[in-house]
Amino acid sequence: MVAGYLEGVGIHCPVLFRPEAEIPPAAVVMAGTRTRTVPVAEALAELGRFTDAFLQAGCRRIAYKACATFDSTEDGNIGPAADYLADRAGVRPVLMSAGFPRFGTTVHQGYMFYRGRLVSESIKRFDPLTPMSDPDLVRFVGRQTPHRIALLNHAALRSGADAARVAIEAFAAEGAGHVFLDTTDDGDVETAAEVAAAMNRVVVASDPLIIAYATRLGHAMQPDPVPSPQQVDGPTAVIAGSVGPVVLAQLAAFSANYPLLTLDLLDPAGEEGLVSAALGWASGRIGAAPLAISTATGPEGVAAVQAAFGRVEAARRAERILGAIAKGLRDRGVRRFIVAGGETSGAVVDALGIAAARALPEGPLGTGFCISCGPTPLSLYLKPGKLGADDILLSAVEAMNQWSSGR
């Protein structure tokens, strides 16, 4: 998604999914990692591999992008990632920022609001992996790091970048290891980006600050334009592993037009049996029309699966199954994948063995479209599970159809 925004403003931003992938010449490079919900040691090892690759390639700044809502737990990875990058850079304090005003997620006085409500009173409190029960992000992220977190609030940011830099230096002198910046509106984002670009600090932030920060740096370094890749023709499949009312409504709209198979993670057939059954169901349908395979379920279904396997293992089970199904579909000729859910997207990309991709500029459906690199490219639309209108899966199918027909 971030790379798509940058491509849309003329900044070439290749996306790497594996640290051993070749890093092409570009002003900005994005790494797609799976570090949000894995154990801290595993997350830091992954971050370290990409950091080593980027530094060896000559990258001068590294920023870590977290989810807009800073999805995490008290044992989560945002604080440790910030500490790791600060130690590698030898610079503190780290600049932190959450939220995405464009999509109704804001941070004011350090408190997060999701669609106009405190995040702890929103649907985010039901997230199966990272339920957000504490809206005070300074306090919440502070449980993940031994370093004190200071707050630069909306009023301070409205005073301008120069005043914000003075305040940050004062926090540093007082021993703050991190500074959290409000994201009350887009004005806060622009001021924060100006500060980050001028101070050369480590940045750990959600989409809007990463985009604004990278845009400022990229426009100053942009090489010659790089043409967008060719679209891929072929059969289309939807893979949905997210949970909650948003994706369920999207799947309901899709199933009114095209076939949908919903898998039960409690099926006694087990993982291999579910994969085999899903591919058997899909095999005779591939190419006739788009199809969808999902593990999405409602709150009662989620609770039952978590009771059987545990919260984390339930999610990993779904990811393994859907990843294996995606690989099987690719082997049977599917060339276009629409994936709902951030963790599911990571599982599918990993299972398909995709090392790098080129994001496409923002279009009517926003960002998330990309073309995989390699001898057999795939068209992908990777979307967060909780974003998009009810008809977004249908709209993504139509967008891919228009590309293939040249319309």
Side-chain angles (χ1 to χ4, degrees):
M1 289 180 67
V2 170
Y5 283 114
L6 296 175
E7 295 276 0
V9 297
I11 298 173
H12 176 40
C13 182
V15 181
L16 309 182
F17 295 109
R18 296 186 177 186
E20 65 271 17
E22 181 181 355
I23 300 177
V28 181
V29 179
M30 180 68 60
T33 68
R34 300 187 64 198
T35 58
R36 185 174 73 96
T37 58
V38 301
V40 171
E42 185 178 336
L44 293 182
E46 176 81 348
L47 182 57
R49 286 190 289 269
F50 273 107
T51 300
D52 290 342
F54 283 160
L55 292 178
Q56 289 170 10
C59 294
R60 294 183 297 187
R61 303 190 190 209
I62 296 179
Y64 181 86
K65 192 202 86 68
C67 177
T69 48
F70 260 44
D71 280 19
S72 192
T73 66
E74 292 188 12
D75 299 321
N77 300 325
I78 297 175
D83 290 335
Y84 174 84
L85 291 176
D87 290 342
R88 290 292 299 264
V91 177
R92 290 188 184 276
V94 172
L95 303 185
M96 289 185 168
S97 173
F100 206 154
R102 176 177 176 178
F103 293 107
T105 304
T106 58
V107 180
H108 185 71
Q109 299 291 358
Y111 282 77
M112 171 161 283
F113 294 82
Y114 183 80
R115 298 181 181 178
R117 302 185 64 85
L118 284 170
V119 69
S120 55
E121 299 175 4
S122 74
I123 61 172
K124 288 297 299 176
R125 71 186 188 276
F126 299 122
D127 190 291
L129 284 180
T130 53
M132 298 295 288
S133 58
D134 189 348
D136 185 336
L137 294 187
V138 172
R139 180 174 58 206
F140 178 73
V141 179
R143 299 184 184 118
Q144 300 179 357
T145 172
H147 299 280
R148 184 172 70 84
I149 303 177
L151 173 67
L152 193 66
N153 64 20
H154 175 62
L157 289 166
R158 287 193 63 185
S159 298
D162 290 341
R165 286 197 296 269
V166 170
I168 291 169
E169 295 293 0
F171 288 139
E174 295 167 0
H178 310 292
V179 176
F180 218 109
L181 289 74
D182 267 352
T183 311
T184 304
D185 53 29
D186 288 335
D188 284 353
V189 174
E190 289 304 318
T191 301
E194 183 178 351
V195 170
M199 297 189 76
N200 195 18
R201 300 282 182 175
V202 171
V203 174
V204 173
S206 56
D207 308 61
L209 178 53
I210 297 295
I211 293 165
Y213 177 51
T215 299
R216 284 178 175 270
L217 299 176
H219 277 153
M221 303 166 55
Q222 179 65 54
D224 294 336
V226 179
S228 294
Q230 295 293 316
Q231 301 295 342
V232 178
D233 198 2
T236 304
V238 174
I239 304 291
S242 182
V243 299
V246 174
V247 75
L248 290 175
Q250 293 167 352
L251 288 168
F254 181 91
S255 65
N257 296 269
Y258 301 116
L260 164 68
L261 175 66
T262 300
L263 303 176
D264 181 1
L265 294 178
L266 295 175
D267 191 310
E271 294 185 26
E272 291 187 5
L274 283 171
V275 172
S276 177
L279 292 175
W281 173 86
S283 291
R285 295 175 169 85
I286 292 173
L291 58 88
I293 299 176
S294 171
T295 57
T297 184
E300 291 183 0
V302 171
V305 174
Q306 289 184 342
F309 301 109
R311 187 171 67 181
V312 174
E313 177 55 26
R316 296 292 174 261
R317 183 180 180 86
E319 292 164 17
R320 288 193 297 269
I321 290 170
L322 293 175
I325 290 170
K327 182 177 183 297
L329 293 174
R330 190 271 313 279
D331 294 344
R332 288 163 175 76
V334 171
R335 292 294 176 264
R336 303 188 299 191
F337 287 90
I338 297 166
V339 188
E343 296 296 317
T344 307
S345 293
V348 167
V349 165
D350 188 55
L352 294 176
I354 297 173
R358 176 80 185 278
L360 299 179
E362 182 179 12
L365 296 183
T367 58
F369 287 98
C370 60
I371 310 296
S372 70
C373 302
T376 307
L378 302 171
S379 282
L380 305 167
Y381 178 51
L382 310 176
K383 74 167 224 62
K386 297 177 179 63
L387 288 184
D390 289 355
D391 64 352
I392 193 168
L393 301 178
L394 295 169
S395 297
V397 169
E398 179 59 25
M400 287 184 170
N401 288 338
Q402 290 177 359
W403 290 335
S404 63
S405 65
R407 286 184 281 155

PDB file of all heavy atoms in Angstrom, residues 304-328:
ATOM      1  N   ALA A 304     -14.456 -20.332  19.057  1.00  0.00           N
ATOM      2  CA  ALA A 304     -14.359 -21.792  19.081  1.00  0.00           C
ATOM      3  C   ALA A 304     -13.007 -22.264  18.574  1.00  0.00           C
ATOM      4  O   ALA A 304     -12.392 -23.180  19.156  1.00  0.00           O
ATOM      5  CB  ALA A 304     -15.487 -22.398  18.233  1.00  0.00           C
ATOM      6  N   VAL A 305     -12.523 -21.652  17.503  1.00  0.00           N
ATOM      7  CA  VAL A 305     -11.223 -22.055  16.950  1.00  0.00           C
ATOM      8  C   VAL A 305     -10.102 -21.697  17.914  1.00  0.00           C
ATOM      9  O   VAL A 305      -9.161 -22.486  18.122  1.00  0.00           O
ATOM     10  CB  VAL A 305     -10.995 -21.392  15.577  1.00  0.00           C
ATOM     11  CG1 VAL A 305      -9.591 -21.684  15.063  1.00  0.00           C
ATOM     12  CG2 VAL A 305     -12.030 -21.880  14.579  1.00  0.00           C
ATOM     13  N   GLN A 306     -10.188 -20.518  18.531  1.00  0.00           N
ATOM     14  CA  GLN A 306      -9.161 -20.124  19.487  1.00  0.00           C
ATOM     15  C   GLN A 306      -9.178 -21.011  20.723  1.00  0.00           C
ATOM     16  O   GLN A 306      -8.121 -21.303  21.294  1.00  0.00           O
ATOM     17  CB  GLN A 306      -9.346 -18.658  19.873  1.00  0.00           C
ATOM     18  CG  GLN A 306      -8.999 -17.689  18.755  1.00  0.00           C
ATOM     19  CD  GLN A 306      -9.091 -16.236  19.191  1.00  0.00           C
ATOM     20  OE1 GLN A 306      -9.711 -15.917  20.205  1.00  0.00           O
ATOM     21  NE2 GLN A 306      -8.464 -15.362  18.421  1.00  0.00           N
ATOM     22  N   ALA A 307     -10.358 -21.450  21.126  1.00  0.00           N
ATOM     23  CA  ALA A 307     -10.445 -22.354  22.278  1.00  0.00           C
ATOM     24  C   ALA A 307      -9.777 -23.689  21.968  1.00  0.00           C
ATOM     25  O   ALA A 307      -9.191 -24.334  22.844  1.00  0.00           O
ATOM     26  CB  ALA A 307     -11.906 -22.569  22.662  1.00  0.00           C
ATOM     27  N   ALA A 308      -9.861 -24.110  20.706  1.00  0.00           N
ATOM     28  CA  ALA A 308      -9.290 -25.398  20.320  1.00  0.00           C
ATOM     29  C   ALA A 308      -7.781 -25.337  20.109  1.00  0.00           C
ATOM     30  O   ALA A 308      -7.060 -26.278  20.468  1.00  0.00           O
ATOM     31  CB  ALA A 308      -9.974 -25.893  19.045  1.00  0.00           C
ATOM     32  N   PHE A 309      -7.291 -24.219  19.545  1.00  0.00           N
ATOM     33  CA  PHE A 309      -5.888 -24.169  19.141  1.00  0.00           C
ATOM     34  C   PHE A 309      -5.063 -23.091  19.843  1.00  0.00           C
ATOM     35  O   PHE A 309      -3.832 -23.090  19.735  1.00  0.00           O
ATOM     36  CB  PHE A 309      -5.792 -23.938  17.627  1.00  0.00           C
ATOM     37  CG  PHE A 309      -6.465 -24.988  16.807  1.00  0.00           C
ATOM     38  CD1 PHE A 309      -7.629 -24.710  16.119  1.00  0.00           C
ATOM     39  CD2 PHE A 309      -5.948 -26.276  16.738  1.00  0.00           C
ATOM     40  CE1 PHE A 309      -8.262 -25.686  15.354  1.00  0.00           C
ATOM     41  CE2 PHE A 309      -6.570 -27.255  15.984  1.00  0.00           C
ATOM     42  CZ  PHE A 309      -7.730 -26.967  15.290  1.00  0.00           C
ATOM     43  N   GLY A 310      -5.728 -22.169  20.545  1.00  0.00           N
ATOM     44  CA  GLY A 310      -5.020 -21.024  21.090  1.00  0.00           C
ATOM     45  C   GLY A 310      -5.101 -19.865  20.114  1.00  0.00           C
ATOM     46  O   GLY A 310      -5.266 -20.057  18.908  1.00  0.00           O
ATOM     47  N   ARG A 311      -4.960 -18.646  20.612  1.00  0.00           N
ATOM     48  CA  ARG A 311      -5.183 -17.454  19.800  1.00  0.00           C
ATOM     49  C   ARG A 311      -4.205 -17.351  18.639  1.00  0.00           C
ATOM     50  O   ARG A 311      -4.600 -17.171  17.492  1.00  0.00           O
ATOM     51  CB  ARG A 311      -5.081 -16.191  20.674  1.00  0.00           C
ATOM     52  CG  ARG A 311      -5.475 -14.925  19.934  1.00  0.00           C
ATOM     53  CD  ARG A 311      -5.562 -13.756  20.884  1.00  0.00           C
ATOM     54  NE  ARG A 311      -4.246 -13.400  21.429  1.00  0.00           N
ATOM     55  CZ  ARG A 311      -4.040 -12.420  22.301  1.00  0.00           C
ATOM     56  NH1 ARG A 311      -5.064 -11.724  22.750  1.00  0.00           N
ATOM     57  NH2 ARG A 311      -2.825 -12.154  22.753  1.00  0.00           N
ATOM     58  N   VAL A 312      -2.913 -17.504  18.923  1.00  0.00           N
ATOM     59  CA  VAL A 312      -1.918 -17.355  17.871  1.00  0.00           C
ATOM     60  C   VAL A 312      -1.934 -18.540  16.927  1.00  0.00           C
ATOM     61  O   VAL A 312      -1.911 -18.376  15.696  1.00  0.00           O
ATOM     62  CB  VAL A 312      -0.517 -17.153  18.480  1.00  0.00           C
ATOM     63  CG1 VAL A 312       0.542 -17.145  17.381  1.00  0.00           C
ATOM     64  CG2 VAL A 312      -0.466 -15.841  19.272  1.00  0.00           C
ATOM     65  N   GLU A 313      -1.991 -19.748  17.446  1.00  0.00           N
ATOM     66  CA  GLU A 313      -1.945 -20.930  16.596  1.00  0.00           C
ATOM     67  C   GLU A 313      -3.179 -21.015  15.693  1.00  0.00           C
ATOM     68  O   GLU A 313      -3.088 -21.516  14.559  1.00  0.00           O
ATOM     69  CB  GLU A 313      -1.827 -22.192  17.443  1.00  0.00           C
ATOM     70  CG  GLU A 313      -1.849 -23.494  16.652  1.00  0.00           C
ATOM     71  CD  GLU A 313      -0.798 -23.568  15.552  1.00  0.00           C
ATOM     72  OE1 GLU A 313       0.250 -22.898  15.660  1.00  0.00           O
ATOM     73  OE2 GLU A 313      -1.028 -24.304  14.574  1.00  0.00           O
ATOM     74  N   ALA A 314      -4.328 -20.529  16.157  1.00  0.00           N
ATOM     75  CA  ALA A 314      -5.514 -20.520  15.300  1.00  0.00           C
ATOM     76  C   ALA A 314      -5.263 -19.676  14.053  1.00  0.00           C
ATOM     77  O   ALA A 314      -5.609 -20.074  12.932  1.00  0.00           O
ATOM     78  CB  ALA A 314      -6.713 -19.975  16.071  1.00  0.00           C
ATOM     79  N   ALA A 315      -4.645 -18.511  14.253  1.00  0.00           N
ATOM     80  CA  ALA A 315      -4.340 -17.645  13.111  1.00  0.00           C
ATOM     81  C   ALA A 315      -3.301 -18.298  12.209  1.00  0.00           C
ATOM     82  O   ALA A 315      -3.420 -18.265  10.973  1.00  0.00           O
ATOM     83  CB  ALA A 315      -3.847 -16.291  13.600  1.00  0.00           C
ATOM     84  N   ARG A 316      -2.275 -18.897  12.795  1.00  0.00           N
ATOM     85  CA  ARG A 316      -1.227 -19.528  11.999  1.00  0.00           C
ATOM     86  C   ARG A 316      -1.794 -20.715  11.209  1.00  0.00           C
ATOM     87  O   ARG A 316      -1.372 -20.978  10.076  1.00  0.00           O
ATOM     88  CB  ARG A 316      -0.083 -19.999  12.902  1.00  0.00           C
ATOM     89  CG  ARG A 316       0.630 -18.871  13.613  1.00  0.00           C
ATOM     90  CD  ARG A 316       1.400 -18.000  12.634  1.00  0.00           C
ATOM     91  NE  ARG A 316       1.967 -16.842  13.300  1.00  0.00           N
ATOM     92  CZ  ARG A 316       1.435 -15.630  13.285  1.00  0.00           C
ATOM     93  NH1 ARG A 316       0.316 -15.404  12.622  1.00  0.00           N
ATOM     94  NH2 ARG A 316       2.024 -14.634  13.920  1.00  0.00           N
ATOM     95  N   ARG A 317      -2.709 -21.422  11.799  1.00  0.00           N
ATOM     96  CA  ARG A 317      -3.345 -22.559  11.108  1.00  0.00           C
ATOM     97  C   ARG A 317      -4.053 -22.072   9.848  1.00  0.00           C
ATOM     98  O   ARG A 317      -3.886 -22.650   8.768  1.00  0.00           O
ATOM     99  CB  ARG A 317      -4.332 -23.248  12.060  1.00  0.00           C
ATOM    100  CG  ARG A 317      -5.010 -24.499  11.490  1.00  0.00           C
ATOM    101  CD  ARG A 317      -5.958 -25.065  12.539  1.00  0.00           C
ATOM    102  NE  ARG A 317      -6.645 -26.266  12.087  1.00  0.00           N
ATOM    103  CZ  ARG A 317      -6.180 -27.502  12.183  1.00  0.00           C
ATOM    104  NH1 ARG A 317      -4.985 -27.701  12.729  1.00  0.00           N
ATOM    105  NH2 ARG A 317      -6.891 -28.539  11.766  1.00  0.00           N
ATOM    106  N   ALA A 318      -4.827 -20.995   9.996  1.00  0.00           N
ATOM    107  CA  ALA A 318      -5.521 -20.433   8.841  1.00  0.00           C
ATOM    108  C   ALA A 318      -4.528 -19.978   7.777  1.00  0.00           C
ATOM    109  O   ALA A 318      -4.733 -20.201   6.569  1.00  0.00           O
ATOM    110  CB  ALA A 318      -6.406 -19.268   9.280  1.00  0.00           C
ATOM    111  N   GLU A 319      -3.434 -19.343   8.210  1.00  0.00           N
ATOM    112  CA  GLU A 319      -2.440 -18.851   7.248  1.00  0.00           C
ATOM    113  C   GLU A 319      -1.767 -19.999   6.507  1.00  0.00           C
ATOM    114  O   GLU A 319      -1.543 -19.920   5.285  1.00  0.00           O
ATOM    115  CB  GLU A 319      -1.394 -18.002   7.981  1.00  0.00           C
ATOM    116  CG  GLU A 319      -1.955 -16.682   8.515  1.00  0.00           C
ATOM    117  CD  GLU A 319      -1.033 -16.052   9.544  1.00  0.00           C
ATOM    118  OE1 GLU A 319       0.147 -16.455   9.599  1.00  0.00           O
ATOM    119  OE2 GLU A 319      -1.490 -15.166  10.281  1.00  0.00           O
ATOM    120  N   ARG A 320      -1.425 -21.063   7.203  1.00  0.00           N
ATOM    121  CA  ARG A 320      -0.781 -22.206   6.552  1.00  0.00           C
ATOM    122  C   ARG A 320      -1.708 -22.823   5.503  1.00  0.00           C
ATOM    123  O   ARG A 320      -1.294 -23.159   4.385  1.00  0.00           O
ATOM    124  CB  ARG A 320      -0.374 -23.262   7.582  1.00  0.00           C
ATOM    125  CG  ARG A 320       0.803 -22.864   8.462  1.00  0.00           C
ATOM    126  CD  ARG A 320       1.332 -24.071   9.226  1.00  0.00           C
ATOM    127  NE  ARG A 320       0.345 -24.624  10.143  1.00  0.00           N
ATOM    128  CZ  ARG A 320       0.211 -24.276  11.418  1.00  0.00           C
ATOM    129  NH1 ARG A 320       1.000 -23.346  11.932  1.00  0.00           N
ATOM    130  NH2 ARG A 320      -0.700 -24.847  12.196  1.00  0.00           N
ATOM    131  N   ILE A 321      -2.970 -22.983   5.887  1.00  0.00           N
ATOM    132  CA  ILE A 321      -3.941 -23.590   4.974  1.00  0.00           C
ATOM    133  C   ILE A 321      -4.135 -22.715   3.743  1.00  0.00           C
ATOM    134  O   ILE A 321      -4.080 -23.197   2.602  1.00  0.00           O
ATOM    135  CB  ILE A 321      -5.278 -23.817   5.714  1.00  0.00           C
ATOM    136  CG1 ILE A 321      -5.116 -24.929   6.756  1.00  0.00           C
ATOM    137  CG2 ILE A 321      -6.394 -24.139   4.726  1.00  0.00           C
ATOM    138  CD1 ILE A 321      -6.291 -25.068   7.693  1.00  0.00           C
ATOM    139  N   LEU A 322      -4.359 -21.432   3.947  1.00  0.00           N
ATOM    140  CA  LEU A 322      -4.617 -20.549   2.814  1.00  0.00           C
ATOM    141  C   LEU A 322      -3.371 -20.359   1.951  1.00  0.00           C
ATOM    142  O   LEU A 322      -3.476 -20.231   0.727  1.00  0.00           O
ATOM    143  CB  LEU A 322      -5.145 -19.197   3.314  1.00  0.00           C
ATOM    144  CG  LEU A 322      -6.522 -19.262   3.963  1.00  0.00           C
ATOM    145  CD1 LEU A 322      -6.908 -17.903   4.545  1.00  0.00           C
ATOM    146  CD2 LEU A 322      -7.584 -19.728   2.970  1.00  0.00           C
ATOM    147  N   GLY A 323      -2.209 -20.328   2.574  1.00  0.00           N
ATOM    148  CA  GLY A 323      -0.972 -20.250   1.792  1.00  0.00           C
ATOM    149  C   GLY A 323      -0.803 -21.470   0.901  1.00  0.00           C
ATOM    150  O   GLY A 323      -0.452 -21.356  -0.282  1.00  0.00           O
ATOM    151  N   ALA A 324      -1.051 -22.655   1.460  1.00  0.00           N
ATOM    152  CA  ALA A 324      -0.921 -23.887   0.671  1.00  0.00           C
ATOM    153  C   ALA A 324      -1.956 -23.925  -0.453  1.00  0.00           C
ATOM    154  O   ALA A 324      -1.672 -24.391  -1.564  1.00  0.00           O
ATOM    155  CB  ALA A 324      -1.081 -25.111   1.581  1.00  0.00           C
ATOM    156  N   ILE A 325      -3.151 -23.425  -0.175  1.00  0.00           N
ATOM    157  CA  ILE A 325      -4.186 -23.371  -1.208  1.00  0.00           C
ATOM    158  C   ILE A 325      -3.772 -22.412  -2.315  1.00  0.00           C
ATOM    159  O   ILE A 325      -3.929 -22.712  -3.514  1.00  0.00           O
ATOM    160  CB  ILE A 325      -5.535 -22.962  -0.587  1.00  0.00           C
ATOM    161  CG1 ILE A 325      -6.072 -24.099   0.288  1.00  0.00           C
ATOM    162  CG2 ILE A 325      -6.550 -22.594  -1.675  1.00  0.00           C
ATOM    163  CD1 ILE A 325      -7.271 -23.725   1.126  1.00  0.00           C
ATOM    164  N   ALA A 326      -3.240 -21.265  -1.947  1.00  0.00           N
ATOM    165  CA  ALA A 326      -2.797 -20.296  -2.961  1.00  0.00           C
ATOM    166  C   ALA A 326      -1.726 -20.916  -3.860  1.00  0.00           C
ATOM    167  O   ALA A 326      -1.763 -20.754  -5.090  1.00  0.00           O
ATOM    168  CB  ALA A 326      -2.265 -19.039  -2.287  1.00  0.00           C
ATOM    169  N   LYS A 327      -0.785 -21.632  -3.263  1.00  0.00           N
ATOM    170  CA  LYS A 327       0.263 -22.290  -4.065  1.00  0.00           C
ATOM    171  C   LYS A 327      -0.357 -23.320  -4.999  1.00  0.00           C
ATOM    172  O   LYS A 327       0.018 -23.416  -6.182  1.00  0.00           O
ATOM    173  CB  LYS A 327       1.283 -22.955  -3.143  1.00  0.00           C
ATOM    174  CG  LYS A 327       2.445 -23.615  -3.878  1.00  0.00           C
ATOM    175  CD  LYS A 327       3.452 -24.183  -2.890  1.00  0.00           C
ATOM    176  CE  LYS A 327       4.653 -24.793  -3.622  1.00  0.00           C
ATOM    177  NZ  LYS A 327       4.254 -25.934  -4.481  1.00  0.00           N
ATOM    178  N   GLY A 328      -1.312 -24.085  -4.504  1.00  0.00           N
ATOM    179  CA  GLY A 328      -1.975 -25.067  -5.342  1.00  0.00           C
ATOM    180  C   GLY A 328      -2.759 -24.427  -6.481  1.00  0.00           C
ATOM    181  O   GLY A 328      -2.780 -24.943  -7.603  1.00  0.00           O
TER     182      GLY A 328
END
